[in-house]
């Protein structure tokens, strides 16, 4: 995406799109990182000349470099089964403040042979390293690893010793901009700098939440749904740990206090199993498709790729429910289950943090799903403001714009989003 700040507005333009297709090799699910890097180079060439570049991506996954700076194997996908044996946390919540997920970075690293590894780089930092030659880590993504001290705001060095993880793997947390390598600049046809943005895509998306006050909850809704509130400090209580809430770093010292919910992955996998039918007619049918069936989106059976409709039916059999009949009922079941999961997460965030909420901002691709937005307003009993769709790209661009003096603090960034992005409000209809 290219972004321009002009006339008191920020405008995004899609300049290049490329697929992100995981690859299974000898039983292990990998990211095709070189294909992604090629897509980045093609995109930079199509966008150029750009005054600045910022990279955000999903969290948790990483590449390992050897002493010569070469990548040791393709990064493993977090949906791979290698971390299935982790059923309890290895990182103390009072230090990391992180939600337990079996595939957290710390658990992935504990499955690795690290004797040849010199450096661990999370995905945006790995791509940035190939573009610039500079090694470093970005805070918002580091805070998702289970290896970050959320109070001291640095790597959890004491934890590395307890887990036998070598200190050398973990690069300095930095916010410096770095110029492109000369050979990369020659390849894309211009020179520029890579600006450290909020490199976790949810952190970037939260920057672009068009909130007018601090009394808001957010749902960053895509393959995953991240549901929470923005706070000035982490919540590290035992009650918070038991509720499996996470404290991740936002920009300007904020804390993203949230819970991960499985998200639209379940719907995406159903569509794939059905041969990729057009979603819009299915959503229209689901609007009136009656079903009382509810699934828990976070049930582990829904995590791996595969035949999702069959898994939903198996879940219903396991829980004594009638399985949805036909595709429209399956879609309705998924969306009402997500809305109820959002309601639980918002209510828990308010209760555990003490932060009152008057409105829910639903950003990301899910904001285009009218039925999901309506059901979420009904379930929470709060207005749902849907949009912007490309929230992560907007937040990424806004941090770059601030680095260039084009916009001020977080409140100014959000004001710029309100003036620029179309949003739609869904009022609760009184029947949760």
């Amino acid at each position: 995406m290219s972004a321009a700040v002009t006339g008191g507005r920020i405008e995004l333009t899609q300049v290049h799109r490329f697929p992100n297709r995981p690859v299974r090799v000898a039983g292990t699910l990998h990211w095709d990182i070189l294909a992604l890097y090629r897509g980045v180079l093609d995109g930079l060439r199509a966008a150029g000349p750009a005054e600045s570049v910022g990279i955000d991506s999903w969290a948790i996954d990483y590449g390992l470099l050897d002493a010569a700076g070469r990548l040791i194997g393709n990064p493993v996908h977090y949906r791979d089964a290698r971390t299935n044996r982790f059923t309890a946390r290895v990182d103390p919540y009072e230090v990391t403040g992180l939600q337990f997920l079996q595939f957290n970075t710390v658990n992935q690293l504990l499955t690795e042979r690290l004797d040849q590894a010199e450096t661990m780089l999370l995905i945006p930092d790995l791509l940035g390293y190939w573009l610039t030659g500079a090694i470093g880590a970005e805070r918002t993504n580091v805070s998702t690893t289970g290896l970050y001290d959320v109070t001291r705001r640095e790597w959890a060095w004491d934890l590395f010793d307890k887990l036998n993880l070598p200190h050398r793997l973990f690069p300095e947390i930095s916010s410096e901009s770095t110029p492109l390598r000369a050979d990369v600049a020659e390849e894309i046809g211009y020179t520029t700098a890579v600006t450290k943005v909020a490199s976790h895509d949810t952190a970037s998306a939260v920057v672009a939440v068009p909130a007018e006050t601090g009394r808001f909850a957010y749902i960053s809704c895509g393959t995953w749904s991240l549901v929470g509130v923005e706070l000035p400090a982490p919540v590290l209580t035992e009650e918070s740990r038991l509720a499996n809430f996470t404290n991740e770093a936002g920009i300007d010292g904020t804390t993203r206090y949230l819970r991960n919910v499985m998200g639209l992955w379940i719907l995406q996998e159903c569509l794939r199993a059905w041969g990729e039918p057009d979603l819009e007619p299915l959503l229209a049918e689901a609007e009136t498709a009656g079903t009382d069936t509810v699934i828990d989106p976070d049930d582990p059976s829904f995590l791996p790729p595969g035949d999702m409709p069959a898994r939903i039916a198996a879940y219903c059999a396991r829980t004594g429910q009638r399985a949805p009949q036909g595709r429209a009922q399956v879609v309705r079941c998924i969306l009402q289950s997500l809305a109820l999961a959002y309601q639980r997460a918002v209510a828990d965030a308010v209760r555990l943090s003490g932060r009152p909420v008057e409105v829910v901002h639903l950003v990301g691709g899910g904001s285009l799903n009218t039925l999901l937005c309506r059901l979420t307003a009904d379930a929470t009993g709060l207005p749902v403001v849907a949009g912007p769709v490309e929230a992560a790209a907007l937040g990424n661009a806004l941090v770059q714009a601030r680095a260039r003096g084009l916009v001020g603090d977080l409140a100014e960034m959000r004001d710029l989003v309100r003036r620029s992005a179309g949003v739609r409000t869904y009022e609760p209809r009184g029947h949760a």
Side-chain angles (χ1 to χ4, degrees):
M1 305 290 282
S2 69
V5 179
T6 54
R9 294 170 60 86
I10 182 166
E11 295 183 2
L12 289 181
T13 305
Q14 180 181 300
V15 293
H16 182 61
R17 184 174 287 273
F18 53 97
N20 182 6
R21 296 194 187 100
V23 181
R24 194 173 295 279
V25 181
T28 299
L29 191 63
H30 295 272
W31 295 106
D32 190 352
I33 194 67
L34 292 181
L36 295 180
Y37 181 62
R38 182 178 60 230
V40 168
L41 292 176
D42 290 344
L44 291 177
R45 198 177 296 112
E51 294 184 34
S52 170
V53 175
I55 304 172
D56 66 84
S57 86
W58 67 95
I60 292 174
D61 290 333
Y62 56 86
L64 295 172
L65 305 181
D66 66 15
R70 295 171 300 211
L71 184 66
I72 305 173
N74 280 313
V76 177
H77 195 299
Y78 63 83
R79 293 189 193 273
D80 184 73
R82 68 176 177 163
T83 57
N84 284 357
R85 66 184 175 88
F86 291 97
T87 56
R89 67 183 317 118
V90 296
D91 56 315
Y93 188 81
E94 64 272 17
V95 174
T96 67
L98 199 70
Q99 174 183 10
F100 172 73
L101 295 167
Q102 65 187 45
F103 48 76
N104 281 344
T105 309
V106 59
N107 296 342
Q108 292 198 50
L109 283 170
L110 292 174
T111 70
E112 298 265 21
R113 290 188 57 185
L114 299 170
D115 49 319
Q116 298 299 313
E118 189 69 21
T119 307
M120 181 206 78
L121 292 178
L122 296 163
I123 296 299
D125 299 321
L126 176 61
L127 295 171
Y129 165 64
W130 283 339
L131 290 174
T132 67
I135 286 178
E138 189 280 319
R139 187 176 309 279
T140 65
N141 230 339
V142 166
S143 73
T144 71
T145 60
L147 295 162
Y148 179 74
D149 188 319
V150 73
T151 303
R152 295 180 178 175
R153 304 184 75 242
E154 61 183 26
W155 288 111
W157 299 110
D158 294 344
L159 180 59
F160 301 158
D161 297 330
K162 291 176 184 174
L163 298 177
N164 242 359
L165 292 172
H167 286 217
R168 69 175 185 274
L169 288 179
F170 306 100
E172 180 182 356
I173 298 172
S174 123
S175 57
E176 297 297 314
S177 296
T178 318
L180 293 184
R181 290 166 45 113
D183 58 327
V184 174
E186 183 176 0
E187 185 169 353
I188 68 169
Y190 61 95
T191 189
T192 187
V194 175
T195 299
K196 280 280 175 70
V197 297
S199 70
H200 181 202
D201 51 11
T202 306
S204 274
V206 172
V207 171
V209 168
E212 298 186 54
T213 74
R215 294 180 173 232
F216 70 92
Y218 58 82
I219 303 170
S220 180
C221 181
T223 299
W224 284 91
S225 294
L226 297 304
V227 187
V229 293
E230 186 175 71
L231 300 175
V235 179
L236 301 175
T237 62
E238 178 66 4
E239 201 177 8
S240 178
R241 182 189 72 80
L242 292 172
N244 212 21
F245 261 74
T246 203
N247 295 268
E248 296 175 1
I251 69 164
D252 298 351
T254 56
T255 294
R256 293 177 290 118
Y257 185 61
L258 60 89
R259 180 187 288 150
N260 282 266
V261 177
M262 189 73 77
L264 291 171
W265 161 256
I266 299 173
L267 178 58
Q268 291 161 356
E269 282 294 279
C270 284
L271 294 174
R272 193 161 72 88
W274 295 330
E276 304 291 352
D278 187 359
L279 179 58
E280 286 308 311
L282 272 177
L283 289 174
E285 288 182 58
E287 189 91 45
T288 55
T291 176
D292 293 330
T293 305
V294 173
I295 61 171
D296 175 7
D298 295 321
D299 188 271
S301 65
F302 300 131
L303 178 64
D307 186 347
M308 199 61 73
R311 292 180 194 177
I312 292 172
Y315 178 93
C316 293
R318 232 172 40 239
T319 54
Q321 300 183 85
R322 183 171 186 263
Q325 303 300 301
R327 294 179 180 182
Q329 279 199 2
V330 170
V331 172
R332 177 70 184 220
C333 166
I334 293 168
L335 296 183
Q336 65 193 20
S337 299
L338 284 175
L340 288 167
Y342 298 161
Q343 184 276 330
R344 289 194 299 274
V346 170
D348 285 346
V350 170
R351 175 176 58 85
L352 294 165
S353 70
R355 170 60 58 91
V357 165
E358 297 170 348
V359 62
V360 176
H361 284 273
L362 196 154
V363 301
S367 65
L368 293 172
N369 191 317
T370 298
L371 179 55
L372 178 61
C373 295
R374 284 185 185 143
L375 292 170
T376 301
D378 291 342
T380 60
L382 294 168
V384 168
V385 178
V389 176
E390 297 288 358
L394 273 172
N396 177 326
L398 285 164
V399 174
Q400 293 184 67
R402 182 169 71 173
R404 302 191 67 79
L406 299 174
V407 67
D409 61 11
L410 186 54
E412 282 191 33
M413 293 185 199
R414 288 173 172 160
D415 182 55
L416 190 58
V417 174
R418 286 196 299 276
R419 295 200 303 270
S420 306
V423 298
R424 181 175 178 184
T425 301
Y426 297 84
E427 296 288 345
R429 296 173 293 184
H431 50 88

